[in-house]
C-alpha cells in the first residue's frame, strides 16, 4: 500500500496500523491525499495464438489477404496493394510490450516488398512506428525500424517486438531481445496492424505469424476521495502481498507516476 494522509495520525491510529495488516478500520477515504492499494493487475494482456478456424473478428479487422491455417496467421499479400493484413480493434495509449513471431518468410524477386507490424496513432495522423522485413532492389533482405534505419538480416524466422516506455518506443532485432533502436513517441491512442505491402510493381510477399501478445499498462487506482489514479510505467509484475496483491518492480524502469494535480497541489510531498 501507498498512503499519503491529509492530517497527522494520533498514537492510537499509528498503533492500529502497526498491529493490523491491511486497512485500518478508523480510516476513511477522506483521510487521504492519495491511497494506492496496488491490488489490481498492473497490466492487461491481449494474446492470440491464431489456433481457431478463423481470425478472431472481436480482436481484428481483417483484409482479404489474411487467413488462418494450421494454427497460424497467413498473410499472402496480393500484388499491387499496400498495407494489407489485420488491424486491431483494441486501442491503447499507455506503455506496452508487443511481439509476434514470424516464419516461412518468402519474398519474390521484385523491387520492393515487405511484411511487418505497425503501431499507428490515428488521432495525430502520420505518427507511427513500424518494424518490417524488406526485400529491396536486390536479393538483400533487411530489418527496418521506420522512422529509423535498416540492418542486414536474412533470416526467414524471427520475432517482431516493440516496447513503449518512458516516452520512447524500443525496437528489437529479430531475436526479440537485442535492441535495434529507440525513438520518441507521442502519448496518443494507437492500434496495431500486422501487414504485408509492396510498391505496386507486382510483388507478393508471404509470411506466417503466430503467438501474438501485447501487455498494456493499467492505471493504479486511487482509493482516496480524490480519484487521482496513477499511471503505471514499465511492466511491474503482480505478486502476493501481506494484504491482498502487490506490485513487484524491477528496480530499473518500473514505477507509478501520480496525477499531475497531486504533485502540483502538494509539491512538498513529491
Amino acid at each position: 500500500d501507498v498512503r499519503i494522509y491529509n492530517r497527522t495520525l494520533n498514537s492510537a491510529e499509528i498503533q492500529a496500523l502497526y498491529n493490523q495488516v491491511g486497512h485500518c478500520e478508523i480510516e476513511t477515504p477522506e483521510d487521504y491525499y492519495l491511497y494506492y492499494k496496488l491490488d489490481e493487475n498492473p497490466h492487461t494482456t491481449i494474446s492470440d495464438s491464431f489456433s481457431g478456424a478463423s481470425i478472431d473478428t472481436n480482436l481484428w479487422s481483417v483484409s482479404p489477404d489474411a487467413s488462418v491455417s494450421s494454427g497460424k496467421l497467413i498473410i499472402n499479400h496480393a500484388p499491387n496493394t499496400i498495407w494489407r493484413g489485420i488491424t486491431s480493434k483494441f486501442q491503447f495509449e499507455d506503455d506496452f510490450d508487443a511481439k509476434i513471431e514470424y516464419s516461412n518468410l518468402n519474398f519474390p524477386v521484385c523491387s520492393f516488398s515487405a511484411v511487418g507490424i505497425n503501431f499507428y496513432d490515428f488521432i495525430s495522423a502520420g505518427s507511427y512506428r513500424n518494424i518490417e522485413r524488406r526485400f529491396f532492389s536486390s536479393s538483400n533482405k533487411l530489418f527496418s525500424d521506420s522512422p529509423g534505419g535498416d540492418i542486414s538480416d536474412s533470416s526467414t524466422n524471427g520475432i517482431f517486438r516493440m516496447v513503449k516506455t518512458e516516452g520512447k518506443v524500443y525496437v528489437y532485432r529479430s531475436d526479440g531481445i537485442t535492441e535495434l533502436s529507440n525513438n520518441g513517441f507521442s502519448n496518443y491512442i494507437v492500434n496495431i496492424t500486422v501487414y504485408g505491402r509492396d510498391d505496386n510493381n507486382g510483388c507478393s510477399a508471404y509470411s506466417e505469424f503466430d503467438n501474438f501478445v501485447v501487455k498494456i499498462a493499467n492505471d493504479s487506482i486511487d482509493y482516496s476521495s480524490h480519484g487521482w489514479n496513477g499511471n503505471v510505467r514499465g511492466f511491474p509484475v503482480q505478486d502476493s502481498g501481506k494484504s491482498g496483491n502487490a506490485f513487484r518492480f524491477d528496480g530499473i524502469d518500473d514505477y507509478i507516476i501520480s496525477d499531475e494535480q497531486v504533485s502540483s497541489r502538494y509539491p512538498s510531498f513529491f
Side-chain angles (χ1 to χ4, degrees), residues 92-109:
F92 45 94
E93 59 181 327
D94 290 323
D95 289 358
F96 62 81
D97 184 347
K99 57 186 174 182
I100 187 170
E101 298 172 4
Y102 66 87
S103 61
N104 296 322
L105 180 63
N106 180 54
F107 290 127
V109 177

Side-chain angles (χ1 to χ4, degrees), residues 6-77:
N6 61 14
R7 61 180 177 82
T8 303
L9 300 183
N10 60 42
S11 58
E13 290 171 325
I14 294 173
Q15 188 65 46
L17 285 173
Y18 178 80
N19 292 335
Q20 178 183 333
V21 175
H23 186 71
C24 181
E25 296 299 329
I26 59 177
E27 297 170 12
T28 67
E30 288 73 24
D31 289 326
Y32 305 109
Y33 284 134
L34 193 70
Y35 179 18
Y36 295 152
K37 292 184 180 180
L38 306 183
D39 274 343
E40 60 277 338
N41 196 319
H43 55 254
T44 298
T45 300
I46 299 173
S47 61
D48 195 342
S49 62
F50 305 107
S51 59
S54 60
I55 298 170
D56 186 349
T57 54
N58 292 315
L59 291 178
W60 307 99
S61 297
V62 184
S63 81
D65 303 309
S67 61
V68 291
S69 178
S70 301
K72 293 185 178 182
L73 168 68
I74 309 298
I75 295 182
N76 193 1
H77 192 217

